[in-house]
Amino acid sequence: MEFDSLVVQGIPAVENEKGSVVPPIHLATTYVQESLSSFQEFGYGRGENPTRFNLEALVSQLEGVKHGFAFSSGMAATTTVFNLFKQGDKVLLNCDLYGGTYRYADKLFTQQGIDFELVDDVNDLTDADLTPNVKAIFIETPSNPLLRVIDIQKLSDLAHRYDCLVIIDNTFMTPYLQRLFELGADIVVYSATKYLSGHSDIIAGLVTVDDDDLAAEIKLLQSTLGNILSPTDSYHLIQGIKTLTVRMDKQEENTKKIIEFLEKHPRIANVYYPGSSSAVEAQIQKKQASGIGAVFSIELVPEASPEKFVDALDIINLAVSLGGVESLICHPASMTHDYYSSELRAKIGISEGLLRLAIGIENADDLIKDLEQALDKAV
Ligand SMILES: *Cc1c(COP(=O)(O)O)cnc(C)c1O
């Protein structure tokens, strides 16, 4: 089946004797066992739940790998994977990534004696950077909030020469637009709070992995840390995923129209989207993804005030997050990336005036009109 069929049809039919077209929600926390010598597949809800298993099977199918795991948030997914590492290990990360991921590294890797480094340009990593203690490279591509693009195939080829894992946060692209395991990734994480659920009403995270041994370790961590997704949220995420492709198609179509409008507007100084920073990155994005997604960032000309601009927007609301059907705008320096020091933000290029947009499924002309009138009022 093609991807747009799988999102709808990919849930295995389990215990569906009534023929319901949507899967049931199994709320039970414990399961009856036949005898002391015969335990069934389901024991206790933290370890096994049929609704969560449905979601996990669906997600592994969408990714085209053997294993999927559902967590109570994107951060729960990421931090569970981070629990694979121990004192003395080193993890490389791209420099502009989700603020919470950086906060975990800065606070908890440090506390646990795990070394980490924010890499300026992951595309420039060489054999010399892959010292024996480097156990993983964790990246977001496109990056957040500057939408820089990292060559996944090239990175994987390098990392795998040194037994180093490639872990990718694919929240912005989803498996619909970017097929990471085909490019060499070992572990993929998602904040399913964003595009996968799509309606800004559940917090959820996912991990996908093909390797059986890695999967067994993650399964054990999931059950041990107990940061599972609830049955009800698992159900809602299955429902959200069904419309992923139609939502993302429309969001990307809107995004392209809006970027075209903004790039020509005299009050816009810069537009950052996947591939905008160089011809090389544009080529990589084209090669490894089937689109640019629906998140981009802008800077206004110095005469214009970001605050006045944001205040003047009617349709596009000021809020963190992305991937929902509604368009949002946020100010990374004070919102999503406020944990970064101002020196670090300046070094990376997250300016005080940078604004990040996440485009929804509204009518593109309405969104453009909203941006146009707000730009008029920004000076
Ligand atoms: C939101 C987000 C996260 C964190 O996910 P939560 O579901 O909020 O815990 C991680 N990575 C990226 C890229 C995100 O956008």
Side-chain angles (χ1 to χ4, degrees), residues 71-78 97-101 138 140 142 144 169-172 189-194 202-205 321-322 336 356:
F71 295 88
S72 55
S73 68
M75 280 313 295
T78 298
L97 81 174
Y98 183 69
T101 305
F138 182 103
E140 274 176 50
N144 178 7
D169 181 337
N170 199 26
T171 299
F172 278 27
V189 302
Y190 294 95
S191 169
T193 311
K194 317 293 167 58
I202 54 170
I203 301 274
S321 202
L322 54 112
T336 54
R356 190 188 76 190

Side-chain angles (χ1 to χ4, degrees), residues 96 120-124 141-143 146-151 272-289 292:
D96 62 317
D120 281 342
D121 190 341
V122 174
N123 290 326
D124 292 341
T141 179
S143 71
L146 295 167
L147 292 309
R148 298 292 303 274
V149 179
I150 297 165
D151 189 331
Y272 303 94
Y273 56 89
S276 66
S277 68
S278 72
V280 173
E281 288 191 19
Q283 201 52 43
I284 300 169
Q285 182 70 14
K286 214 170 155 188
K287 183 185 71 177
Q288 71 187 15
I292 59 162

